[in-house]
Amino acid sequence: MNEYLIIFLVGIVPCLIVGIWQTFVGYSVIHQARKSLDWQVARGKLTPAQNTLAGDEVAFHVQNALQISYQVGEQNYHCQKLNLYENWKQRTSWLQQLSPTQAVPVYYNPAKPQEAVIERGIKPHYWLPLILGISSLTMALLGSYFLIVS
């Protein structure tokens, strides 16, 4: 088999696939975080919740038995997210700092009031998927260039 074809299939194609996917995910994350800056605010209150088994792409864990209750109009909602793309360990430590009587601002999406967070906006780690995607695309383009030139 031609060595250039192997380089293309093993090196460049995976970089293109990962680069396109990560760039799309990164753009979506930043776009959603930017939109959260326009979300409405409601007063939330710490309430007990049932422990539930939850899984994410990294680990399975038992969710914290705390949640923030808030009201939009006549409807009650519950928020368990610190920010849009949280680390569950961050949430656990943050919730331990709250007292049950403390009022907490909850930012909710006016179009979907059940979508809410405690901290809105763009966090530094939201840029990571976009940076990884652009880096992978750059490697794929440079690899293609050097493959064509040689």
Side-chain angles (χ1 to χ4, degrees):
M1 189 178 262
N2 189 345
E3 62 189 30
Y4 293 119
L5 181 60
I6 293 172
I7 292 170
F8 179 76
L9 292 175
V10 174
I12 295 172
V13 170
C15 281
L16 277 173
I17 292 169
V18 169
I20 291 169
W21 175 250
Q22 286 287 17
T23 302
F24 172 75
V25 168
Y27 173 78
S28 300
V29 166
I30 297 297
H31 180 69
Q32 182 71 7
R34 185 170 286 152
K35 282 177 37 179
S36 76
L37 292 171
D38 295 329
W39 287 4
Q40 302 294 317
V41 66
R43 287 176 47 111
K45 181 178 152 188
L46 195 61
T47 57
Q50 295 179 349
N51 282 338
T52 56
L53 187 63
D56 58 18
E57 63 276 358
V58 177
F60 286 92
H61 58 277
V62 176
Q63 288 185 346
N64 204 347
L66 299 172
Q67 65 186 0
I68 309 293
S69 297
Y70 63 101
Q71 187 172 2
V72 177
E74 298 295 319
Q75 184 71 32
N76 289 322
Y77 297 98
H78 303 285
C79 174
Q80 294 182 337
K81 293 180 83 175
L82 178 58
N83 53 49
L84 288 171
Y85 302 97
E86 71 180 10
N87 177 332
W88 67 272
K89 290 180 183 178
Q90 275 181 318
R91 179 171 48 95
T92 302
S93 66
W94 189 85
L95 286 173
Q96 289 172 349
Q97 297 172 9
L98 288 178
S99 70
T101 58
Q102 185 178 0
V104 178
V106 176
Y107 300 96
Y108 66 91
N109 184 347
K112 291 189 244 177
Q114 67 274 12
E115 185 178 358
V117 293
I118 308 303
E119 297 176 348
R120 63 185 175 169
I122 299 173
K123 307 293 178 212
H125 62 274
Y126 292 178
W127 291 98
L128 187 59
L130 191 62
I131 292 168
L132 291 174
I134 291 171
S135 298
S136 291
L137 286 174
T138 302
M139 288 186 339
L141 291 174
L142 285 174
S144 298
Y145 172 75
F146 287 117
L147 196 62
I148 292 170
V149 169
S150 59

